[in-house]
């Protein structure tokens, strides 16, 4: 299958400022794709080059096999939902949604009304047409913006931080609804977000961006379990980093890890080739264990609790181990009968070499 969207060697300069650097990516028909990265890394710029609101300085943006150079935004098969979704408060919900049809003078009133009703139905707002837009909640306003953007069934819907104005509960609810909606309509969604959890939850694939570049492009599990460098590893979730010295040994690697000692690491734990010499290993907090009894662990190290943060369902510990400057962050699920340790307590830390990831 040929990709719906393809970017090849895309660069964008604002004067001297290099906002997009050698972007190569393809996005498939029906994919839920996210652009994730810290503020200012170029996510909106990249989205706008796909939409046609921004020209590229070099490289090619193609949609459905067609080079989009010189094709204005209104002639591209894309539509955009902006960060500050512009709902007209003095209009009704139906009038707001019908705004998405303003260029279709070929449609009569009846046809327009039917399309508006379909669109409202699609986003779960059937029966809301006559209501005043100013009386809606934040989540409902967001749905109106979605209905308006989807009413003409674009091939691609571009969403720039669409949920950032909502509170946490509403945001989580809308994440699930957006996923459902996307599956239902089968339209390709490209979502911009700086919220890694949001990207992990919703996307088929994610491009993680830093300073105008793609740091890694993969599905959520690969990004989490096999980040290809320290920057990606630190941005996605929490990660402990330990200094290490590497000796490649055929298909595997012998690694001397500060605080943990010598371990064997399999090639599948090394996302990017690493040469002999200094490197890092990454260890996710939930792959470490505090052992409260004689539970089996492949390796154990004695440490001291430095910090305790109790979250109800989880307790996060910082545990100091000999030979490592920074305490290890350990995420423990709370359970009946399992104590919460105090600062200063001795902790036996269980770890497993198979959960290490080796990074340059
Ligand atoms: P993000 O959406 O990831 O927060 P943007 O794509 O909005 O980042 O911006 C990337 C960088 O490009 C920022 O440093 C921003 O200041 C700069 N930039 C964006 N738009 C313009 C513009 N029209 N003129 C000059 N610089 C811009
Ligand atoms: Mg932005």
């Amino acid at each position: 299958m040929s990709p719906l969207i393809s970017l090849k060697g895309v660069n964008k300069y604002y004067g001297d400022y290099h906002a997009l650097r050698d972007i190569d990516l393809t996005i498939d028909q029906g994919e839920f794709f996210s652009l994730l990265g810290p503020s200012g890394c170029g996510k909106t710029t990249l989205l706008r080059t796909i939409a046609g609101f921004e020209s590229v300085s070099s490289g090619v943006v193609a949609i459905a096999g067609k080079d989009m150079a010189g094709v204005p935004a209104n002639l591209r098969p894309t539509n955009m939902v902006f960060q500050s979704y512009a709902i007209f408060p003095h209009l009704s919900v139906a009038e707001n949604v019908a705004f998405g049809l303003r260029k279709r003078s070929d449609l009569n009133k009846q046809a327009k009304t039917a399309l508006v009703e379909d669109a409202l139905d699609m986003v779960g707002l059937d029966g809301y047409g006559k209501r005043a837009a100013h009386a809606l909640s934040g989540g409902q306003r967001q749905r109106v913006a979605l209905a308006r953007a989807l009413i003409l069934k674009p091939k691609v819907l571009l969403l720039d931080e669409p949920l950032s104005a909502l509170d946490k509960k509403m945001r989580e609810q809308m994440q699930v609804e957006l996923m459902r909606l996307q599956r239902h309509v089968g339209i390709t969604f490209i979502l911009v977000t700086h919220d890694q959890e949001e990207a992990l939850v919703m996307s088929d694939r994610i491009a993680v961006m830093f300073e105008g570049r793609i740091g890694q492009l993969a599905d959520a599990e690969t990004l989490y379990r096999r980040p290809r460098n320290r920057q990606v590893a630190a941005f996605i979730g929490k990660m402990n980093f330990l200094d290490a010295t590497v000796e490649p040994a055929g298909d595997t690697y012998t690694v001397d890890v500060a605080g943990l000692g010598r371990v064997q690491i399999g090639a599948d734990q090394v996302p990017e080739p690493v040469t002999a010499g200094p490197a890092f290993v990454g260890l996710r907090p939930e792959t470490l264990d505090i052992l409260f009894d004689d539970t089996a662990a492949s390796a154990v190290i004695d440490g001291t609790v430095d910090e305790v943060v109790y979250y109800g369902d989880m307790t996060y510990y910082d545990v100091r181990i000999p030979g490592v400057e920074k305490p290890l962050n350990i995420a423990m699920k709370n359970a009946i009968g399992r104590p919460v340790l105090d600062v200063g307590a001795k902790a036996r830390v269980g770890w497993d070499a198979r959960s290490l990831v080796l990074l340059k």
Side-chain angles (χ1 to χ4, degrees):
M1 201 175 72
S2 62
L4 179 62
I5 295 169
S6 113
L7 278 74
K8 280 209 184 80
V10 167
N11 284 276
K12 174 70 186 178
Y13 287 90
Y14 292 114
D16 288 341
Y17 185 75
H18 201 171
L20 295 178
R21 296 163 184 255
D22 304 318
I23 302 289
D24 286 311
L25 62 83
T26 60
I27 299 171
D28 286 331
Q29 164 66 46
E31 194 170 11
F32 199 129
F33 192 91
S34 292
L35 300 169
L36 169 69
S39 176
C41 72
K43 305 179 295 295
T44 295
T45 303
L46 184 50
L47 203 68
R48 289 171 61 86
T49 65
I50 296 170
F53 296 123
E54 213 64 80
S55 63
V56 299
S57 307
S58 66
V60 176
V61 175
I63 304 180
K66 269 207 215 109
D67 188 341
M68 288 289 120
V71 179
N74 63 331
L75 296 181
R76 297 191 183 193
T78 53
N79 210 343
M80 191 141 162
V81 176
F82 295 92
Q83 192 160 4
S84 54
Y85 38 92
I87 294 296
F88 305 116
H90 55 288
L91 297 182
S92 71
V93 167
E95 285 164 336
N96 267 285
V97 175
F99 191 72
L101 297 171
R102 65 197 176 283
K103 291 189 194 103
R104 295 294 302 269
S105 49
D106 57 313
L107 297 173
N108 66 25
K109 198 165 177 236
Q110 213 178 354
K112 287 190 175 183
T113 304
L115 283 171
V116 168
E117 275 172 15
D118 281 354
L120 285 175
D121 195 33
M122 194 158 58
V123 299
L125 283 180
D126 39 319
Y128 279 71
K130 292 210 165 62
R131 296 221 192 164
H134 65 75
L136 299 180
S137 70
Q140 288 169 333
R141 280 169 198 236
Q142 183 54 269
R143 281 173 227 229
V144 171
L146 279 168
R148 185 167 67 193
L150 286 168
I151 192 162
L152 285 176
K153 300 267 160 60
K155 280 200 168 67
V156 185
L157 187 66
L158 306 167
L159 302 124
D160 193 353
E161 313 244 9
L163 307 181
S164 60
L166 304 177
D167 65 43
K168 187 171 155 61
K169 272 229 166 85
M170 196 43 158
R171 202 160 64 229
E172 285 171 1
Q173 191 186 328
M174 282 301 289
Q175 287 171 6
V176 176
E177 292 201 16
L178 261 186
M179 283 164 66
R180 276 205 204 119
L181 177 64
Q182 192 271 338
R183 277 188 214 135
H184 176 67
V185 295
I187 290 171
T188 305
F189 277 29
I190 308 180
L191 173 83
V192 159
T193 180
H194 64 273
D195 180 339
Q196 46 110 2
E197 221 171 78
E198 185 162 299
L200 292 182
V201 167
M202 298 172 80
S203 323
D204 293 314
R205 286 188 309 150
I206 301 160
V208 187
M209 294 180 66
F210 300 103
E211 295 167 1
R213 260 183 230 290
I214 295 180
Q216 187 168 3
L217 197 170
D219 61 86
E221 193 183 352
T222 304
L223 285 178
Y224 191 79
R225 284 169 42 82
R226 297 291 180 254
R228 54 184 282 234
N229 58 43
R230 190 167 168 152
Q231 204 174 24
V232 175
F235 192 73
I236 306 280
K238 278 190 187 147
M239 185 72 107
N240 295 294
F241 293 107
L242 297 172
D243 290 324
T245 310
V246 180
E247 276 171 49
D251 277 353
T252 64
Y253 296 77
T254 305
V255 185
D256 203 348
V257 185
L260 302 184
R262 273 170 100 75
V263 295
Q264 288 297 122
I265 285 185
D268 68 308
Q269 293 169 254
V270 190
E272 295 280 291
V274 174
T275 48
F280 297 99
V281 300
L283 253 177
R284 293 287 184 198
E286 70 280 8
T287 68
L288 293 164
D289 242 341
I290 292 180
L291 307 175
F292 292 102
D293 46 36
D294 297 331
T295 325
S298 67
V300 178
I301 198 150
D302 289 315
T304 311
V305 175
D306 205 49
E307 184 81 73
V308 183
V309 183
Y310 179 78
Y311 262 85
D313 58 337
M314 304 286 291
T315 302
Y316 291 90
Y317 292 98
D318 283 340
V319 174
R320 220 166 257 294
I321 61 168
V324 182
E325 202 187 323
K326 231 180 144 220
L328 292 176
N329 191 250
I330 304 179
M332 292 294 292
K333 229 192 183 102
N334 291 327
I336 291 166
R338 179 179 283 177
V340 174
L341 298 180
D342 293 325
V343 171
K346 297 282 168 222
R348 291 174 65 234
V349 177
W351 59 281
D352 189 321
R354 285 172 304 182
S355 61
L356 298 175
V357 55
L358 182 60
L359 302 164
K360 268 194 272 205

